[in-house]
Amino acid sequence: MRNKKGLMVAGALLGSSAALYYNYKKKQELEYSRLSEIKESTASDMITPGCLVLEGGSLRGLYTAGVLDCLIDNDLNFQTTIGISAGAMMGANYHAGHRGRAGRFNLEYRNNIHYVGLGAEIENQSPFNFDFAFDDKNFNHPFDKDRLYSEKRNFYAGATDVETGEAVYFNARECDDIFSAIRASASLPVASKIVEVDGHKCLDGGCADPIPVKWAIDKGFDKIIVVRTRERTFRKDVDDQRESIVVEQRYKKYPEYVEKMKKQHSHYNEQCDLVDKLENEGRVFVLAPQEPVNVGRLEGDLEKLGDLYFEGYDETNALIGKLKEYLAI
């Protein structure tokens, strides 16, 4: 009787494992219906004065990927780019002149467990496998590091120093390893391990400076373009402290970081208000989804993700004339 029960349990487990594997294989076989429309090419050598500020948002960054491809198609290669979290991931590809690379990669590999999910957690101790994301074997063309490090332009990735709770900004040329900085910028608290960059212990840049428009102003830029991944009216619930409670337990030895996390929702809303104010004053140009974004951080629906990419591209394309007026070009 005991052996029979054991066989039944083993059979159930095998059946469950087989079902999971079958579902995984089916997901792997899925392809976004408009993937072939996302063409890969190289940006021109034209440089546009100004600073591009890229908000994070995990896979909502597909909107940003569409925006950036449209900018490249219109020869708008901004002199300075600062990206936070997914904004840093997308911004690095843009800054290196890779049109179509970020959009295609995320749509082709979203359901690959080595990029997102269990495999990523095992291999990279994070929901996203950043090593996989920058591995040239997964692309048609190698990443143009020379262009990323060029003295003609500046690329920054923003992260949060867990020891101080403050934002740190890493320049591609000055940082020991800008790809570690990008990884740090996009490393979600609790779900990801702390990443050390140039002596700083870092996590997601969205905690300390989710939309670094003030950083751009302090740097003296006259022309600032902000790319949002949420509609303009979106604000976070300041009463939602679920994440900060978990953070308080996980990061007891970093009290400054814990305090920053407790205020992150109100801080985010303040930055949104500042962006609105600056836009109304004509001091910044904002590219943001025109409709509420119904895409999760780890969204698995390829059609929703791909449509968000094209939403970013099409909405930017419709505003190119006004953007050029703002830039006075």
Side-chain angles (χ1 to χ4, degrees):
M1 185 68 177
R2 187 176 298 172
N3 288 339
K4 187 175 181 180
K5 279 188 176 180
L7 288 171
M8 290 175 63
V9 170
L13 288 173
L14 285 171
S16 178
S17 297
L20 287 172
Y21 180 74
Y22 175 78
N23 290 334
Y24 162 67
K25 292 298 291 182
K26 293 299 289 183
K27 280 187 176 182
Q28 285 279 75
E29 294 168 4
L30 293 176
E31 181 176 291
Y32 174 52
S33 59
R34 297 179 63 187
L35 186 65
S36 62
E37 297 178 41
I38 304 176
K39 306 299 183 182
E40 290 189 75
S41 61
T42 302
S44 74
D45 293 327
M46 185 178 295
I47 297 176
T48 306
C51 181
L52 189 61
V53 175
L54 307 178
E55 181 183 7
S58 296
L59 287 173
R60 287 190 289 269
L62 263 299
Y63 181 87
T64 303
V67 170
L68 298 182
D69 282 354
C70 185
L71 294 180
I72 288 177
D73 286 349
N74 286 275
D75 280 340
L76 295 175
N77 307 306
F78 287 98
Q79 189 171 38
T80 298
T81 300
I82 180 166
I84 301 298
S85 193
M89 298 280 291
M90 305 299 172
N93 284 282
Y94 164 80
H95 205 81
H98 294 298
R99 190 258 191 251
R101 182 189 181 100
R104 286 194 65 93
F105 174 81
N106 280 282
L107 289 167
E108 285 187 51
Y109 289 103
R110 164 59 188 89
N111 290 322
N112 187 307
I113 61 170
H114 296 290
Y115 177 44
V116 183
L118 180 60
E121 284 285 357
I122 294 171
E123 297 168 22
N124 218 237
Q125 291 79 60
S126 173
F128 292 92
N129 188 338
F130 303 106
D131 294 336
F132 188 88
F134 284 104
D135 188 338
D136 283 339
K137 294 195 297 292
N138 299 317
F139 295 91
N140 294 325
H141 307 287
F143 190 91
D144 192 343
K145 294 181 180 179
D146 289 339
R147 189 159 181 159
L148 185 70
Y149 301 141
S150 170
E151 294 184 357
K152 295 179 181 179
R153 300 170 74 199
N154 288 294
F155 172 77
Y156 293 86
T160 302
D161 186 319
V162 298
E163 293 183 310
T164 66
E166 298 301 321
V168 283
Y169 310 97
F170 300 101
N171 180 281
R173 286 193 308 278
E174 299 170 0
C175 179
D176 283 346
D177 182 1
I178 189 59
F179 294 100
S180 288
I182 294 169
R183 176 180 175 179
S185 179
S187 290
L188 300 173
V190 181
S192 305
K193 68 178 182 180
I194 291 173
V195 181
E196 188 161 335
V197 187
D198 290 356
H200 297 273
K201 295 179 180 179
C202 298
L203 283 171
D204 187 5
C207 171
D209 199 4
I211 312 174
V213 64
K214 188 176 184 303
W215 177 93
I217 292 172
D218 291 343
K219 287 289 184 180
F221 288 102
D222 293 324
K223 301 298 181 180
I224 301 171
I225 299 82
V226 179
V227 180
R228 301 287 313 279
T229 52
R230 290 284 199 177
E231 64 278 10
R232 285 174 174 79
T233 57
F234 176 80
R235 295 296 185 271
K236 292 187 176 181
D237 181 2
V238 295
D239 294 324
D240 185 356
Q241 295 293 316
R242 288 173 296 177
E243 188 175 18
S244 61
I245 292 172
V246 178
V247 166
E248 189 169 9
Q249 296 172 342
R250 178 73 177 271
Y251 302 106
K252 291 179 181 178
K253 62 187 293 187
Y254 303 116
E256 299 295 337
Y257 179 68
V258 171
E259 286 304 309
K260 182 70 74 172
M261 286 294 289
K262 287 180 179 179
K263 301 174 183 176
Q264 67 164 332
H265 288 186
S266 59
H267 181 50
Y268 175 82
N269 293 345
E270 288 168 3
Q271 288 199 325
C272 292
D273 292 342
L274 175 61
V275 170
D276 287 350
K277 178 176 180 293
L278 293 170
E279 182 182 27
N280 290 333
E281 294 172 353
R283 296 176 62 188
V284 304
F285 192 95
V286 179
L287 295 164
Q290 295 177 9
E291 301 293 333
V293 177
N294 185 29
V295 169
R297 271 185 169 185
L298 300 177
E299 182 64 57
D301 187 325
L302 295 182
E303 295 302 312
K304 289 172 68 174
L305 289 171
D307 290 351
L308 187 61
Y309 166 88
F310 280 106
E311 184 180 333
Y313 188 98
D314 293 342
E315 290 181 359
T316 301
N317 200 42
L319 293 170
I320 283 295
K322 290 184 179 180
L323 176 56
K324 290 183 176 180
E325 284 180 19
Y326 167 77
L327 297 170
I329 59 176

